[in-house]
Structures are given as C-alpha cells and as structure tokens.
C-alpha cells in the first residue's frame, strides 16, 4: 500500500510541474478581443499562430528574405516589434532577430514540448510570436528571437 501511495504522489509531482498554470501569460494585455473578433480580423494562419500559439512550417514565410530597412509589426495589433537592422539569417527557416524593440515584447515560460523554452508575445495584444534562444550572434546580443512570419507584417522604411 505504501508503494502505491508513493507512486501516486510521484506521478502527481511530475504532472504538476508541467501544468498549464506555469504556461500562462502573467500580465493583462491592452488589446483584448473575443475569439470571434480575432477570427474575423486575422487570416486563418495568423489566427493559428497568434491566438492558438501555433508554429508555421520552416522556410515558408516570405519575410525570411526581407533585407530592406523597415519595421516588423504585430499582425494582430500593429505594434512595432522588430527592425530589419536587427534581423539575421539563422538558417532555421524562421525570421530571426537579435533583439526586439524594447518594451514591445512580453515573455512567458513554455513547457509544452517537455522542456522549458522562453516564449515571446506581443506586449500589446498577447499574440504568440515565437521563442527566444541563447544561440544568436555573439557579436551583438547572443539572442535568437525565432519568430513566426505569420505573426508579423513588414512595413518598409519611408524615405
């Protein structure tokens, strides 16, 4: 009987460490909309990425090839998130940046794959953007903000 209680207690410990409570975004976001409103405003792919925390296929985003000066904004609320000046080719197949525009990206902990990752969200609407890793360019920040292209819209710099 003691062995059964111990096994049940250990199972509870392991499953509680992977609970959804640790994956929630901890701050309220300025832009709040219903699921129906988001679905009406976003494409199906944008909704899947931004609102359902999905991931697009690697090398599928036309934003991978953009090198011209400009700003990458949130596809959900138009908040400026990243600049072309901080974009680099990570070889991963997703738009990658060594830093966000300060104050416009929020972070949470993601344990959905069985290990801990730092998830990125738009700080204005809470839309899922991607994840940040510590394998970026060492000459700058050392960070790789690996972002889903469908979470972004590109606005070229005006002259």
């Amino acid at each position: 009987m003691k062995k059964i209680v111990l096994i049940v207690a250990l199972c509870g410990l392991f499953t509680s460490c992977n609970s959804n409570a640790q994956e929630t975004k901890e701050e309220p976001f300025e832009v709040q909309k219903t699921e129906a409103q988001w679905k009406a405003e976003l494409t199906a792919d944008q909704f899947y990425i931004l609102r359902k925390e999905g991931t697009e296929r690697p090398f599928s985003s036309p934003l991978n090839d953009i090198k011209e000066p400009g700003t990458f904004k949130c596809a959900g609320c138009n908040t400026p998130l990243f600049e072309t000046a901080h974009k680099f080719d990570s070889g991963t197949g997703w738009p990658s940046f060594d830093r966000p525009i300060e104050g416009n990206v929020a972070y949470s902990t993601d344990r959905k794959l069985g290990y801990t990752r730092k998830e990125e969200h738009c700080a204005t609407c809470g839309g899922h953007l991607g994840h940040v890793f510590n394998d970026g360019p060492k000459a700058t920040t050392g960070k790789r903000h690996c972002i889903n292209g469908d979470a972004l819209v590109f606005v070229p710099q005006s002259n």
Side-chain angles (χ1 to χ4, degrees):
M1 183 65 176
K2 288 181 183 178
K3 287 182 182 180
I4 293 173
V5 171
L6 179 60
I7 290 170
V8 170
L10 287 173
C11 289
L13 175 66
F14 289 122
T15 57
S16 68
C17 289
N18 229 359
S19 75
N20 286 339
Q22 294 178 348
E23 296 174 16
T24 58
K25 300 162 203 66
E26 302 195 9
E27 55 189 276
F29 296 101
E30 182 182 324
V31 173
Q32 300 281 322
K33 296 179 184 182
T34 66
E35 186 167 313
Q37 289 172 314
W38 284 118
K39 278 186 175 181
E41 294 178 18
L42 301 171
T43 68
D45 290 338
Q46 289 171 333
F47 181 80
Y48 171 68
I49 302 297
L50 289 166
R51 307 318 309 169
K52 296 299 181 181
E53 299 179 347
T55 302
E56 67 195 12
R57 287 185 341 254
F59 302 101
S60 64
S61 175
L63 299 183
N64 283 337
D65 299 325
I66 291 182
K67 295 177 178 41
E68 67 181 287
T71 303
F72 294 83
K73 295 184 174 187
C74 176
C77 69
N78 214 33
T79 296
L81 300 171
F82 301 96
E83 298 288 341
T84 305
H86 302 127
K87 187 173 185 278
F88 67 97
D89 183 2
S90 66
T92 62
W94 288 279
S96 297
F97 305 86
D98 70 353
R99 71 195 79 171
I101 294 174
E102 191 169 336
N104 291 357
V105 173
Y107 302 93
S108 65
T109 302
D110 174 0
R111 293 185 177 90
K112 292 185 262 326
L113 296 180
Y115 59 93
T116 302
R117 298 184 297 171
K118 194 173 195 176
E119 187 172 357
E120 296 187 76
H121 307 274
C122 172
T124 304
C125 71
H128 168 76
L129 303 172
H131 296 84
V132 62
F133 302 97
N134 292 320
D135 59 1
K138 296 196 184 328
T140 60
T141 65
K143 302 290 183 191
R144 173 174 53 97
H145 297 262
C146 187
I147 308 299
N148 290 286
D150 281 321
L152 305 172
V153 292
F154 178 70
V155 179
Q157 180 177 323
S158 57
N159 295 327

